[in-house]
């Protein structure tokens, strides 16, 4: 793909007087209006934003620069009531709240389940009676209480429940 093809496909021309993060943000907002729900490959973003003659490779300095700017782009989109949705080799701005939730909801739920599982596996190594500070014991027990059953396996739920009871002093510590 060359610059002319990219301009005709996305109907966007970057203003080179703006910083790269703002150019990327405007391209993504424009893409959400003219082609809602269609991710823009990062190589195409680099092509348009930096005005290159042809699409760069995925390892080019231009693509690296786009990836580096995505955190700033994310902040700019949030300030404009949009969310940056990331895919393997492309990104797009959300079209609506439902759109953002549909893409990010399952990802965040999976990340939460992994974090909850990892936390319980770490707690498995700690004996509540070995902690000298009762405030730390209480804080760990409170964090364990907040993990929903659906996020844990049956074995992890049992570990969580035994640990909470043992931390509260209402159950014997396991051997």
């Amino acid at each position: 793909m060359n610059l002319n093809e990219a301009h005709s496909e996305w109907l966007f021309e970057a203003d080179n007087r703006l910083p790269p993060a703002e150019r990327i943000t405007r391209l993504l907002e424009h893409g959400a209006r003219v082609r809602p729900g269609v991710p823009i490959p990062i190589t195409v973003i680099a092509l348009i934003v930096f005005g290159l003659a042809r699409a760069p490779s995925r390892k080019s300095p231009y693509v690296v620069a786009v990836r580096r700017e995505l955190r700033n782009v994310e902040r700019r989109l949030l300030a404009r009531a949009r969310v940056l949705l990331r895919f393997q080799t492309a990104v797009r701005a959300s079209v609506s709240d439902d759109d953002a939730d549909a893409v990010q909801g399952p990802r965040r739920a999976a990340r939460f389940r992994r974090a909850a599982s990892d936390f319980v596996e770490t707690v498995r190594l700690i004996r509540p009676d070995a902690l000298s500070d009762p405030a730390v014991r209480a804080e760990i027990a409170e964090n364990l209480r907040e993990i929903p059953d659906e996020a844990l396996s049956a074995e992890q739920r049992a570990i969580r429940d035994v640990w909470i009871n043992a931390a509260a002093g209402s159950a014997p510590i396991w051997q």
Side-chain angles (χ1 to χ4, degrees):
M1 176 178 279
N2 65 34
L3 187 57
N4 289 334
E5 292 168 343
H7 283 306
S8 63
E9 180 178 349
W10 291 100
L11 306 171
F12 182 83
E13 192 164 332
D15 182 350
N16 290 330
R17 295 172 297 177
L18 299 172
E22 184 61 26
R23 286 183 269 168
I24 296 167
T25 302
R26 289 184 181 193
L27 171 60
L28 294 175
E29 285 185 310
H30 178 76
R33 283 190 303 275
V34 298
R35 296 186 68 194
V38 177
I40 305 174
I42 293 186
T43 54
V44 173
I45 293 171
L47 173 76
I48 293 171
V49 166
F50 295 113
L52 305 174
R54 60 184 174 84
S57 71
R58 285 190 270 165
K59 294 182 180 181
S60 82
Y62 296 105
V63 172
V64 171
V66 169
R67 288 190 184 283
R68 197 174 41 245
E69 290 291 341
L70 288 180
R71 190 74 188 125
N72 293 327
V73 170
E74 191 168 28
R75 283 190 218 111
R76 290 169 189 258
L77 285 171
L78 281 173
R80 298 170 184 174
R82 289 192 189 265
V83 176
L84 178 68
L85 302 174
R86 297 171 187 246
F87 302 90
Q88 197 165 8
T89 60
V91 294
R92 70 179 176 88
S94 61
V95 179
S96 66
D97 290 343
D98 291 340
D99 175 38
D101 289 342
V103 173
Q104 289 187 322
R107 290 178 184 171
R108 288 185 174 164
R111 193 176 327 145
F112 173 77
R113 283 190 299 276
R114 284 190 305 272
S117 176
D118 289 349
F119 179 59
V120 170
E121 292 302 316
T122 300
V123 168
R124 175 196 300 242
L125 304 172
I126 303 169
R127 291 178 53 104
D129 61 345
L131 293 173
S132 59
D133 187 349
V136 172
R137 212 172 25 247
E139 184 177 351
I140 291 172
E142 182 58 33
N143 289 333
L144 285 169
R145 274 189 208 91
E146 291 178 8
I147 300 174
D149 288 346
E150 299 79 30
L152 302 173
S153 68
E155 180 184 0
Q156 289 172 329
R157 285 194 299 273
I159 291 166
R160 176 196 62 188
D161 296 342
V162 167
W163 208 98
I164 290 170
N165 292 333
S170 61
I173 305 295
W174 58 88
Q175 310 313 325

